[in-house]
Amino acid sequence: FHIGEREEKCIIEDIPSDTLVVGNYKVQRWDIHKHDFLESAPGLGMFVTVTSPTGEVLLSKLYGPQGTFSFTSYLSGEHIICFQSNSTRFAVIAGSKLRIHLDIRVGEHFLDESAIQAKDKVDEVNVRLEHLIEQIHHVTREQDYERDREEKFRKTSEETNSNILWWAIVQTIILISVGIWQIKSLRDFFIAKKLV
């Protein structure tokens, strides 16, 4: 995505609880003379701020033009990940565009292939098995979180449907009451005028 210098850009990630989140990014600055983004942006860094669903700041740190950040969510919900350049130029003259390449991995735990190759076959199988068990636990947590969200959505839908039904019943009662009142009023009017 593109942002201007000194501009803050936030991304919302829906993350289950107790989940590791790893983000890799790289910043490129627009070069006016070459009319292209420079491959590296020396002296330029990014403030990365991560906020939990309750508004608590989980991570607030200054990184370089490219870097890796990570945090573990302790609460399920929408986490806000914000990026802002550390440009020292004033906002008026800081008109340069920045391109940010971002890769966010939620719940992934990476195998260290060099460590696996250094051990014998039994240890390799053991490490891979532990990695698979960890991934199974992550998938289970993700499913539990999605199940909770689906249950909340279903309750909200049922409450809405119930409210709509009661509102329709109230409207019908009001319509019937107004109809009866109009018929009675017309009948009384005709009787008063001696037309009936």
Side-chain angles (χ1 to χ4, degrees):
F1 58 89
H2 294 103
I3 63 172
E5 284 190 64
R6 310 279 303 202
E7 179 184 347
E8 185 177 47
K9 176 79 170 186
C10 294
I11 297 170
I12 297 174
E13 281 288 326
D14 205 357
I15 304 170
S17 61
D18 299 324
T19 302
L20 176 67
V21 178
V22 178
N24 296 312
Y25 73 91
K26 180 172 85 172
V27 180
Q28 295 176 315
R29 179 182 277 152
W30 178 255
D31 188 356
I32 298 173
H33 305 295
K34 294 182 180 176
H35 296 290
D36 195 12
F37 287 96
L38 296 177
E39 195 53 40
S40 65
L44 186 66
M46 295 298 285
F47 284 108
V48 179
T49 307
V50 179
T51 309
S52 72
T54 60
E56 180 182 343
V57 176
L58 299 176
L59 173 72
S60 181
K61 190 173 178 183
L62 174 64
Y63 293 92
Q66 68 181 41
T68 301
F69 62 92
S70 64
F71 66 94
T72 302
S73 64
Y74 67 90
L75 189 66
S76 60
E78 293 181 342
H79 290 68
I80 301 171
I81 304 169
C82 296
F83 298 90
Q84 185 178 20
S85 69
N86 70 339
S87 174
T88 56
R89 298 195 288 180
F90 292 112
V92 177
I93 61 172
S96 183
K97 286 192 296 186
L98 301 176
R99 177 188 286 169
I100 299 177
H101 300 271
L102 178 64
D103 179 28
I104 295 179
R105 298 174 189 249
V106 177
E108 290 198 18
H109 302 282
F110 304 103
L111 283 174
D112 185 4
E113 293 294 332
S114 62
I116 291 175
Q117 291 173 356
K119 298 183 179 190
D120 61 1
K121 292 292 182 187
V122 175
D123 286 344
E124 178 182 344
V125 170
N126 190 22
V127 168
R128 289 190 185 273
L129 184 62
E130 287 175 3
H131 179 71
L132 286 174
I133 289 171
E134 195 171 313
Q135 285 183 329
I136 289 170
H137 289 305
H138 171 69
V139 168
T140 304
R141 281 195 308 269
E142 185 80 28
Q143 286 177 336
D144 290 341
Y145 176 62
E146 293 300 326
R147 193 175 297 118
D148 289 342
R149 287 184 60 197
E150 190 271 334
E151 185 177 332
K152 287 178 188 173
F153 180 74
R154 189 173 6 95
K155 284 181 182 177
T156 304
S157 297
E158 288 172 358
E159 288 173 5
T160 304
N161 287 339
S162 175
N163 290 342
I164 289 171
L165 175 67
W166 283 110
W167 179 244
I169 290 171
V170 168
Q171 281 182 325
T172 305
I173 291 171
I174 290 172
L175 272 169
I176 291 171
S177 301
V178 167
I180 292 171
W181 177 77
Q182 284 179 339
I183 291 171
K184 184 181 178 319
S185 297
L186 276 173
R187 198 175 117 232
D188 291 344
F189 173 77
F190 288 143
I191 291 173
K193 295 292 182 180
K194 297 182 182 179
L195 296 173
V196 176

